[in-house]
Amino acid sequence: MRILSGMRPTGKLHVGNLVGALNNWVKLQEEHECFYFVADWHALTTGYDDTKKLRSNTIEVIKGFVASGVDPEKSVVFVQSAVKQHAELHLIFSMLVSVGRLERIPTYKEIKEEMNYKDLSSVGFLAYPVLQAADILIYMAEGVPVGEDQVCHVELTREIARRFNYYYGEVFPEPQPILSEVPRLPGLDGRKMSKSYNNILELDEPWESVEKKVLKMVTDPARKRRTDPGDPNNCPAWGYHKAFTTSQDELNWVIEGCKTAKIGCVECKRKLLENMKRVLDPIREKYNSFTDNDIMDIAIEGSRKAREVAEETMEKVRKAVNLLF
Ligand code: TRP
Ligand code: SF4
């Protein structure tokens, strides 16, 4: 199966990206032909007014991919804006979607509300999911690893593929979302992990800082005193245990100890930190071993491979639509 997924370069990747997406990407590359990219044009839809960090953020995101185990020898790792064919396909697709359909996509309203301090009335922001459809279909991808919130974009992609095929002949497959089985990692304050909430752990976060932040992380508010019993299900630290603690005995020790107040939160978090260290140390080490030039080489080579596939699709598309000049 051909797989494609991407992330917007809005800043350094965090541990939530690792648990929620990258671990799954790494697994998928063993069995499938995978395309993983940085959606820098998508970042413009909300970040059009300040692009100073676009290039450095793009490099950090690729660094994060590779540090997490995405292997540029196995997967095609590339940058969206280096493959101009996405923009050409986006233009053609934009004829096949109504404005009303795009206005009704849940993410459109949600992000507008979340970022109400910003003017998001542009054509570009409205058409964000059309560009995403082009990203997916230009590689004839059949599987799209995404979070729950992005399923509506894959559904739109299927509609566009159907409509294109209906008007111009069978060209595109209808891709499926691939949802990760691992639950989303909460932020350090229990809300959704997001840079704008200042509740993240960056992928290359120094260990001393991880320790400090995890020990300060919110826990079940019922455990005001050491002797008060709690419930892991009301505790963000438990979300981290589920992601990083692999031993069933240790997980049972947490549940049992928390509910009976046999263990304290500091003890619980010390155990968690032990398990996080095992995962995060090698990733940070790898992260810091790359220079920006190493990353440029990966991006250039990956984008060259991506262009070949994308151009092949566009030749079919131009022929199907009778754009032959
Ligand atoms: N919209 C995705 C996100 O915010 C990023 C993205 C852009 C993407 N193009 C894509 C994801 C194509 C999967 C496939 O997370
Ligand atoms: Fe959370 Fe562990 Fe404290 Fe229970 S003991 S509230 S799971 S940190």
Side-chain angles (χ1 to χ4, degrees):
M1 189 162 57
R2 176 84 56 82
I3 303 274
L4 173 128
S5 197
M7 287 187 197
R8 280 170 302 140
T10 49
K12 271 190 187 177
L13 294 186
H14 52 65
V15 174
N17 299 125
L18 175 73
V19 170
L22 293 167
N23 281 342
N24 203 26
W25 290 16
V26 170
K27 233 185 285 159
L28 287 165
Q29 74 182 347
E30 299 305 325
E31 307 244 343
H32 302 282
E33 191 185 359
C34 295
F35 288 73
Y36 297 130
F37 76 104
V38 185
D40 55 349
W41 277 333
H42 274 114
L44 281 184
T45 62
T46 53
Y48 56 84
D49 53 346
D50 183 5
T51 60
K52 281 191 290 295
K53 291 198 175 141
L54 194 53
R55 187 192 134 88
S56 61
N57 283 346
T58 298
I59 288 184
E60 293 305 320
V61 169
I62 299 175
K63 231 181 251 186
F65 287 180
V66 182
S68 303
V70 171
D71 180 351
E73 303 280 317
K74 292 180 183 155
S75 302
V76 180
V77 176
F78 70 99
V79 178
Q80 183 184 41
S81 68
V83 188
K84 316 297 180 206
Q85 287 85 347
H86 291 226
E88 186 183 358
L89 190 56
H90 167 264
L91 183 141
I92 293 172
F93 283 174
S94 72
M95 313 302 161
L96 306 180
V97 192
S98 73
V99 170
R101 174 71 178 85
L102 295 176
E103 283 168 338
R104 282 190 296 276
I105 293 177
T107 49
Y108 180 64
K109 273 191 230 103
E110 280 162 22
I111 296 176
K112 257 188 145 169
E113 251 158 61
E114 220 173 279
M115 303 183 82
N116 56 13
Y117 50 88
K118 198 156 207 178
D119 183 2
L120 292 181
S121 58
S122 71
V123 172
F125 180 64
L126 178 67
Y128 180 116
V130 182
L131 180 56
Q132 186 163 351
D135 298 337
I136 296 167
L137 293 174
I138 206 159
Y139 300 101
M140 304 285 183
E142 291 173 291
V144 188
V146 282
E148 192 75 64
D149 61 311
Q150 296 284 309
V151 170
C152 54
H153 293 175
V154 182
E155 183 48 43
L156 179 79
T157 304
R158 296 163 59 83
E159 278 175 40
I160 291 175
R162 271 201 294 275
R163 186 162 280 202
F164 185 101
N165 293 347
Y166 173 77
Y167 285 135
Y168 311 116
E170 201 69 26
V171 173
F172 293 113
E174 283 185 37
Q176 297 283 355
I178 300 175
L179 291 170
S180 158
E181 281 137 52
V182 185
R184 193 192 285 271
L185 195 68
L188 296 166
D189 55 2
R191 291 188 288 176
K192 166 180 135 187
M193 192 182 280
S194 162
K195 208 173 64 127
S196 51
Y197 291 156
N198 195 19
N199 63 358
I200 69 169
L201 296 170
E202 286 176 335
L203 264 191
D204 65 337
E205 188 103 20
W207 181 248
E208 306 72 57
S209 168
V210 174
E211 260 181 338
K212 223 191 283 166
K213 287 184 177 180
V214 168
L215 288 171
K216 269 201 303 205
M217 169 166 48
V218 171
T219 59
D220 180 358
R223 299 209 68 183
K224 272 196 208 63
R225 272 154 296 167
R226 168 68 184 77
T227 48
D228 294 332
D231 182 349
N233 291 316
N234 302 329
C235 176
W238 175 241
Y240 285 71
H241 265 296
K242 282 193 284 189
F244 291 98
T245 301
T246 47
S247 147
Q248 192 56 52
D249 285 348
E250 288 179 2
L251 289 170
N252 291 339
W253 172 81
V254 174
I255 299 173
E256 164 65 21
C258 180
K259 287 185 168 170
T260 59
K262 239 186 284 167
I263 61 167
C265 289
V266 173
E267 206 179 347
C268 179
K269 286 173 168 180
R270 288 270 175 223
K271 176 51 85 185
L272 168 64
L273 280 165
E274 221 177 84
N275 296 328
M276 288 179 74
K277 192 169 183 359
R278 236 188 338 263
V279 176
L280 297 180
D281 273 357
I283 292 177
R284 183 182 333 98
E285 206 170 296
K286 195 157 176 199
Y287 198 108
N288 292 328
S289 74
F290 289 109
T291 65
D292 288 3
N293 276 331
D294 298 334
I295 297 300
M296 279 305 286
D297 289 344
I298 291 170
I300 288 167
E301 176 58 13
S303 301
R304 191 190 57 72
K305 288 187 212 156
R307 264 195 304 272
E308 269 174 34
V309 179
E311 179 55 22
E312 225 174 276
T313 301
M314 281 317 296
E315 276 163 22
K316 287 185 195 142
V317 166
R318 292 178 204 123
K319 201 177 282 171
V321 186
N322 285 313
L323 298 161
L324 295 166
F325 289 89

